[in-house]
Amino acid sequence: MVRTALSAAEARRVALAAQGFGRPRTDPVPTRAVSSGAARLGLLQIDSVNVFERSHYLPLFARLGAYDKGALDRLTLTQRSPWIEYWAHEAAFVPRDDLRLFRWRMDAYRERDATNPTRVAGVERTARVRDELLAVLAAEGPMPASAVEHESNVRRGPWWGWSDVKQGLEQLFRWGDVVSAGRSGFERVYALPDQVLPAGYFATAPDRADAVRELVRRSARAIGVGTRADLADHHRLRADDTAAAVADLQDAGELVPVTVEGWRDRAWMHVDARVPRRVDADAVLSPFDPVVWFRPRAERLFGFHYRIEIYTPAPKRVFGYYVLPVLQDEALVGRVDLKNDRQRGVLHVRTAWHEPGARIDAERLAALLRRTAAWQGLGDVEVTDRGSAARDVAAALGVRAIDPGAEPVD
C-alpha cells in the first residue's frame, strides 16, 4: 500500500532504516558488509579533523559495528580504488562510476571561477602554475601537492593559506582537469583523468538535467523521506534543479508525495522505502553523518539542535570540541565530546550530555564506548566530570569521573 501520510515517529524510522540502521549485525563484520554499507550511503564525507577519528570512517562504524578500517581504505584510498573523491556533498568519497554524474558541476565551477569577480584574480594569477602542474603530472604521474611545491611558491598569508601550487591543483580538481588518485597519508593525490579513469570516461557523462535527476533519485533512496531542501542538500544541488528532478521522479512513480506530522513543508518518500515498526540502534554519529549533517533536517526529525563547535573559541563552547550525537534506537538522546588519546591508550569522554526531555541510557552508552575504544585499539575509557550525563556515564563504566581541573592536558 502506498503511504501518503506519516507520523513524526514513522518518518524517523523511515529515515533511519534507509540509512542502514536496525539491520542485523555480525561479528566480525565481513568485508562485503563494508562495501554494501558504503554503497547504501552512496557517499562518505571527508574531514581532516582527527581528534577522535576521521569522519569518513564513522558512519559505517555507527551502522555495522567494529569493522576493519583497512577494508574501507581499500575502497577509497588507493589509485585504483572503486571509490574516488569529488565535491559531492562537501569533499566526499563516491563510487568511481558516479564521478561522471558531476561533470556538469565541474563545468559550472569552471564558469563560476572565470566570471565571479571574487575568484577571477586568483584564477588568472595561477594560470602559469596550472600549465606547469599539468605538464608535471603528465611527465611524472600522480602525486600530492607536497611533492610538486617548490621554493618559488612558498605559502603566503596566515597558516591556513594555500600555496599557488595547492590553489592551482584545487582549481584543476574542481574543473575535472585533474582527478583524485587516492591519498598519501591523508593528503590527496592528484592525477590527469586518463591516468586513473577509462579512456573517454567523461564523454559518456549525462547532461545537467539527467545527472541531477539521477542524483536526486539516489538522495531519495539514501534518506528515505525528505523535503525538497533535504533532497537538494544531500548532493548540494540548486533548488530549481531539484524541483524539476522531483517533479520528473514523482511523475515516474519513484517519489511519492507525503505529509509528515509536524513538518511545515511538503515531503516525498522513495517508493521502495520501508516503514519499520521499530529501529534498534546504538551509535555515536559523526558531525558529518548523513543523519545529522543537514542541521534543519536533524531538528525536524529528532528535535535535535546541533552546531559543531570546533571553530568556536574554547571559552564559548557549550558542549565541547568534537561532539558526537548519541543515537539510541529512534532518538538522539544526548551528545558526547570524544578524544582518542593515542599516547595514553585511552578513549577520553571530555563531556557527556543528556538532551533536554531525554536521557541517555548510560549502561548502553558505556557498552558502546568500550566497543568504540576496542575498535580504536585503546585499552581504557575515562570520563571528565563535565556535562549533565558525565557522572551517569562514568558510573556505568565503573570509573571515577575526573575533576575538570585535573583532566589530562591536550
Side-chain angles (χ1 to χ4, degrees), residues 228-247:
R228 187 178 292 128
D230 296 339
L231 292 165
D233 179 77
H234 201 74
H235 291 104
R236 295 292 167 87
L237 303 172
R238 281 177 30 163
D240 54 350
D241 287 342
T242 304
V246 167

Side-chain angles (χ1 to χ4, degrees), residues 67-89:
Y67 72 97
D68 176 11
K69 291 192 297 180
L72 185 58
D73 290 345
R74 290 188 290 275
L75 278 179
T76 57
L77 294 185
T78 70
Q79 183 171 323
R80 299 296 178 183
S81 290
W83 285 50
I84 197 168
E85 288 183 47
Y86 193 60
W87 294 99
H89 176 72

Side-chain angles (χ1 to χ4, degrees), residues 2-213:
V2 176
R3 299 290 298 269
T4 59
L6 297 172
S7 69
E10 287 174 328
R12 284 193 293 275
R13 293 197 293 272
V14 169
L16 290 170
Q19 278 287 299
F21 288 100
R23 293 173 176 265
R25 294 186 176 187
T26 58
D27 185 18
V29 178
T31 299
R32 66 179 180 275
V34 176
S35 179
S36 62
R40 184 177 300 111
L41 294 174
L43 73 166
L44 297 167
Q45 185 172 336
I46 303 166
D47 189 80
S48 61
V49 176
N50 196 27
V51 65
F52 164 52
E53 179 56 276
R54 295 198 189 277
S55 65
H56 69 282
Y57 291 112
L58 294 177
L60 290 180
F61 177 66
R63 291 151 178 80
L64 302 177
Y67 72 97
D68 176 11
K69 291 192 297 180
L72 185 58
D73 290 345
R74 290 188 290 275
L75 278 179
T76 57
L77 294 185
T78 70
Q79 183 171 323
R80 299 296 178 183
S81 290
W83 285 50
I84 197 168
E85 288 183 47
Y86 193 60
W87 294 99
H89 176 72
E90 294 291 328
F93 293 113
V94 298
R96 183 175 293 262
D97 288 344
D98 287 1
L99 186 62
R100 58 172 52 89
L101 295 175
F102 299 95
R103 177 74 253 186
W104 63 272
R105 176 167 285 169
M106 297 171 186
D107 294 338
Y109 281 156
R110 187 190 304 273
E111 181 179 356
R112 179 198 64 179
D113 289 348
T115 58
N116 186 314
T118 63
R119 292 180 173 271
V120 168
V123 170
E124 291 177 347
R125 180 171 57 81
T126 56
R128 190 183 70 175
V129 174
R130 292 197 305 273
D131 290 340
E132 293 174 354
L133 289 168
L134 292 173
V136 168
L137 293 174
E140 301 187 29
M143 62 181 64
S146 61
V148 293
E149 285 185 309
H150 51 79
E151 291 302 318
S152 63
N153 285 296
V154 295
R155 297 182 183 276
R156 297 186 174 91
W159 64 268
W160 61 84
W162 280 353
S163 68
D164 286 351
V165 166
K166 180 63 175 176
Q167 186 172 349
L169 283 168
E170 283 299 301
Q171 290 162 351
L172 293 167
F173 179 71
R174 284 198 303 272
W175 305 339
D177 292 351
V178 304
V179 297
S180 167
R183 287 195 169 231
S184 175
F186 201 66
E187 186 181 9
R188 183 186 293 139
V189 176
Y190 299 88
L192 301 181
D194 61 7
Q195 292 171 333
V196 295
L197 297 172
Y201 175 87
F202 285 120
T204 59
D207 66 19
R208 180 173 184 144
D210 288 344
V212 169
R213 187 183 309 110

